Amino acid sequence: MGRWEPGARGRLVVAAVDLFTEQGYDATTVSQIAERAGLTRSTFFRHFSDKRELLVAGQETLSKLLSDGIAEAPAGASPLEAVAAGLQRASTAMGPANRELGPRIKAAVAASSELQERDALKSVGMAAAMTVALVARGVPDPTAHLAGELGVLAFKRGYAQWSDGDQDDAGGLAQHALAALEDLRTATASLG
Amino acid sequence: MGRWEPGARGRLVVAAVDLFTEQGYDATTVSQIAERAGLTRSTFFRHFSDKRELLVAGQETLSKLLSDGIAEAPAGASPLEAVAAGLQRASTAMGPANRELGPRIKAAVAASSELQERDALKSVGMAAAMTVALVARGVPDPTAHLAGELGVLAFKRGYAQWSDGDQDDAGGLAQHALAALEDLRTATASLG
């Protein structure tokens, strides 16, 4: 078998999420994930160090895209405009495969307390990455912290709308995430 | 040994947090926690079903206090005024023992990825509890969601200030949490 398997990484993620949903995260082994994806264990280990890492890898990529987008926003951008640039950058990395995966990941997370904890930590990691990137732009605390949390809420709400909605809807994730951010910005006026 | 041990629950929590910090969450056993607290394993099991439950128990109490406070806020209260009532209610349950525990919990969480995940899930649970209580008051989404997140941020920031600060400072947790909520409310004006 050659060293390179086209699409192996994506096939492993889909197989893993399906198995997590069917039988739980704890009961799923690396061998089962590889078999379901039609790949070998050694191919799995060329992509991920273990099944936990399979979940973490996407999170680190996402956090980096969010902070890169924030860092590269124009100098005069407001905190939320910088967050919007981060959401836009992160959205470019999320294609049709991520969209189809959304409902499956949701089902897997609903079925596993361990995945709920990982998912919660993912949100905290994304918020922290955005907050740090905003502070580096000179946004003072707690505005930076608040804007980072709004960014996570907007990403999650936008992703849910994009992923749960009509798959023929041509709008990308960016469109949904930016609309969600605008809804949240508007909502700040009615907090009292 | 009698069925009732005065202060046993609190002693078990302090012993557990210290052991988690010293040797990690995974390596700590129920027997070690009981021994450190000067109690028996059977006393431990009268209070908690396992070491994980020891961490979860406080979270459920806290979420209930937050939502009770929100539910019982005056009918005309704004979303953030209702959140403030929730923070006030939850703060009444946090005394000097919780304050002293703060830095220890922080050290234990910093040392364990499993505790980081639990801590993240705790924040998500608190936000969900507040959001549900706000929706029940008729606060529309996403305002309810946003106000719930602000409540969690305010609680965490207030708790850190209360717990890290001068222990002779006579102000209670409520005072710090409400000041943090006010800071966050003010910060919404500078999001852009």
Side-chain angles (χ1 to χ4, degrees), chain A residues 52 78-80 116-118 120-121 124 141-143 145-147 149-150 153 157 184-185 187-188 190-192, chain B residues 52 78-80 116-118 120-121 124 141-143 145-147 149-150 153 157 183-185 187-188 190-192:
Chain A
R52 186 178 201 84
S78 73
L80 281 194
Q116 281 157 32
E117 294 185 2
R118 269 243 56 89
L121 191 63
V124 171
D141 201 49
T143 307
H145 207 142
L146 181 61
E149 293 287 342
L150 259 70
L153 280 182
R157 294 171 74 94
L184 288 162
R185 196 184 67 77
T188 61
S190 52
L191 287 168
Chain B
R52 186 178 200 85
S78 73
L80 281 194
Q116 280 157 32
E117 295 186 2
R118 267 243 58 89
L121 191 63
V124 170
D141 202 48
T143 307
H145 207 140
L146 181 61
E149 294 287 342
L150 259 69
L153 280 182
R157 294 172 74 95
D183 286 348
L184 288 163
R185 196 183 67 76
T188 61
S190 52
L191 286 167

Side-chain angles (χ1 to χ4, degrees), chain A residues 17-41:
Chain A
V17 170
D18 282 350
L19 286 164
F20 295 163
T21 310
E22 289 165 25
Q23 59 189 35
Y25 175 82
D26 289 338
T28 300
T29 65
V30 166
S31 298
Q32 290 170 340
I33 296 170
E35 191 188 345
R36 176 70 65 98
L39 298 166
T40 61
R41 272 172 60 89

Side-chain angles (χ1 to χ4, degrees), chain A residues 191, chain B residues 66-67 69-74 77-88 130 133-134 137 139 181:
Chain A
L191 287 168
Chain B
L66 289 165
S67 33
I70 289 172
E72 290 163 24
S78 73
L80 281 194
E81 285 166 354
V83 166
L87 292 174
Q88 196 119 36
M130 285 193 275
L134 288 162
R137 287 179 66 86
V139 176
L181 186 65

